[in-house]
Amino acid sequence: MTAAVYYEHIKTCKQSGARLGRVHTPHGVIETPTFMPVGTQATVKTMSPEELKAMNAQIILSNTYHLFLRPGHDIVREAGGLHKFMNWDRPILTDSGGFQVFSLSEMRKITEEGVHFRSHLNGDKLYLSPEVAMEIQNSLGSDIMMAFDECPPYPAEYDYVKKSLERTTRWAERCLNSHARPHDQGLFAIVQGGMYEDLRKQSARDLTSMDFPGYAIGGLSVGESKQLMYEVLDYTVPLLPDNKPRYLMGVGSPDALIEGSIRGVDMFDCVLPTRIARNGTTMTSQGRLVVRNAQYARDFGPLDPACDCYTCRNYSRAYLRHLIKADETFGLRLTTYHNLHFLINLMKQVRQSIMEDRLLDFRDEFFEQYGLHDN
Ligand SMILES: CC(C)(C)OC(=O)NCc1c[nH]c2nc(N)[nH]c(=O)c12
């Protein structure tokens, strides 16, 4: 019986070492490298499933922590699972809640068993552990589940990071042992280890010895410089098996997506495109454009002349600026649609460049146009 989630290598870019691949899941095949729109509370904010399909979103991310707190994973299970609940029939990846507990909730206590914390919504005393995180993700019925981990703060002392990654490894084993549906849900382990090379190697070695269907790199994009993040990737990605998907968590600026792909990463997620859209900041082929700025009041051209998305084909910068200034929901929808389309289209160009063995050339062209000369 083949595993529910497996990686198919298509080719390696002769110029950059990046790879073209497919991740097979129970709800469909994902062409990689790919960017995953974030739908934390069972919706990619302001987007309908039809719009996400129109822009060719292949897979979306949702969060165990948030759905555990609200509406409760039992309701989602009774609805027939997350795909049915949110009317999305393509792949879903759920994050495990570990990271969100540490970044969202107060009054938390970490023990070997798990984490006691208070809901950031109503202060209720709650508990998450590897076993509970697996039970929740089983109820959600996501195609790819993440192991329950601790993402240490940055910066963090060597000893703290070492103890934390060793517990994260023990938690990963408990997730593997309590996985009820390994044949229809793929469980990815999460490599931690902060910015310490020997700890990243220890985490990768211990987790890859347990043979998970896929591996994520956590604990990056936590405030470190991009150069330091790329350095950590340079020595961490090669430690991961080349026949399994590699997922860099929380990373999504255009340059980081290209640099991560060059280093062999297959999957990315980030709230950036949806979050900045809601305050009128957009990603265009000429770089970031804050469409709410006064200079666009009488600019009747498209947001991005080089873009063929619904927003750029039908509306002007002046109209978008007006909607955002007037706090009109439609404005948020239009900027969100464009930003997601921009990143999804960027990854399509990355895959095309890998196919043509010219990803480094593409990076230089993109950086030049996008105004990223300093990288
Ligand atoms: C600050 C942002 C969110 C941009 O990045 C990170 O924190 N990056 C790390 C990260 C994101 N999501 C995760 N999920 C889990 N289970 N573990 C993690 O380490 C992470």
Side-chain angles (χ1 to χ4, degrees), residues 131-284:
E131 290 75 15
V132 172
M134 293 300 288
E135 185 215 323
I136 295 169
Q137 294 179 89
N138 270 316
S139 298
L140 301 177
S142 46
D143 300 279
I144 298 174
M145 309 159 74
M146 301 310 293
F148 188 71
D149 66 324
E150 179 190 3
C151 170
Y154 175 74
E157 289 296 311
Y158 182 89
D159 288 345
Y160 182 87
V161 174
K162 181 170 173 53
K163 289 221 175 336
S164 169
L165 87 82
E166 288 165 350
R167 181 170 51 216
T168 285
T169 298
R170 292 192 296 273
W171 282 357
E173 187 159 20
R174 283 169 53 188
C175 287
L176 209 49
N177 294 337
S178 64
H179 189 352
R181 294 160 50 183
H183 288 303
D184 53 21
Q185 289 175 282
L187 172 62
F188 283 18
I190 304 176
V191 174
Q192 292 289 355
M195 311 303 155
Y196 302 103
E197 182 165 359
D198 61 325
L199 296 185
R200 283 281 171 184
K201 287 184 174 169
Q202 177 184 343
S203 177
R205 189 180 51 245
D206 294 349
L207 293 173
T208 52
S209 70
M210 286 189 253
D211 193 23
F212 285 86
Y215 292 91
I217 297 172
L220 288 180
S221 184
V222 286
E224 79 282 5
S225 71
K226 283 187 179 162
Q227 288 320 321
L228 179 51
M229 176 167 78
Y230 300 152
E231 229 176 86
V232 175
L233 289 178
D234 283 338
Y235 59 69
T236 303
V237 174
L239 302 171
L240 304 179
D242 56 15
N243 64 336
K244 301 284 175 68
R246 301 152 174 176
Y247 163 27
L248 178 54
M249 305 185 90
V251 170
S253 60
D255 47 325
L257 292 176
I258 296 173
E259 294 287 4
S261 300
I262 287 169
R263 290 166 174 78
V265 175
D266 307 305
M267 300 164 72
F268 303 86
D269 89 272
C270 191
V271 294
L272 188 76
T274 36
R275 181 169 295 171
I276 62 172
R278 294 197 288 281
N279 63 41
T281 301
T282 63
M283 301 167 170
T284 76

Side-chain angles (χ1 to χ4, degrees), residues 326-340:
D327 211 10
E328 281 291 346
T329 307
F330 189 47
L332 311 185
R333 281 177 30 74
L334 291 172
T335 51
T336 297
Y337 190 105
H338 170 79
N339 281 357
L340 286 174

Side-chain angles (χ1 to χ4, degrees), residues 307-324:
C307 180
D308 65 350
C309 84
Y310 170 71
T311 299
C312 295
R313 275 187 286 108
N314 295 291
Y315 305 94
S316 69
R317 290 172 177 177
Y319 180 63
L320 290 174
R321 175 179 182 271
H322 160 62
L323 293 183
I324 297 285

Side-chain angles (χ1 to χ4, degrees), residues 52-113:
L52 290 169
K53 286 187 177 178
M55 64 173 81
N56 293 321
Q58 300 187 87
I59 173 173
I60 60 162
L61 183 140
S62 205
N63 271 304
T64 297
Y65 172 84
H66 293 81
L67 296 173
F68 173 49
L69 267 60
R70 182 175 57 186
H73 61 293
D74 46 338
I75 288 178
V76 180
R77 181 183 56 244
E78 287 160 33
L82 196 48
H83 290 87
K84 198 133 175 30
F85 194 51
M86 66 184 290
N87 185 33
W88 175 256
D89 61 4
R90 292 185 177 182
I92 297 176
L93 180 150
T94 45
D95 197 352
S96 55
F99 164 72
Q100 288 75 22
V101 168
F102 298 111
S103 60
L104 281 177
S105 68
E106 303 300 316
M107 299 286 292
R108 62 181 177 273
K109 184 176 182 312
I110 312 175
T111 67
E112 180 64 26
E113 278 318 292

Side-chain angles (χ1 to χ4, degrees), residues 24-38:
H24 295 258
T25 80
H27 279 87
V29 180
I30 303 149
E31 305 281 338
T32 59
T34 191
F35 173 77
M36 301 183 278
V38 174

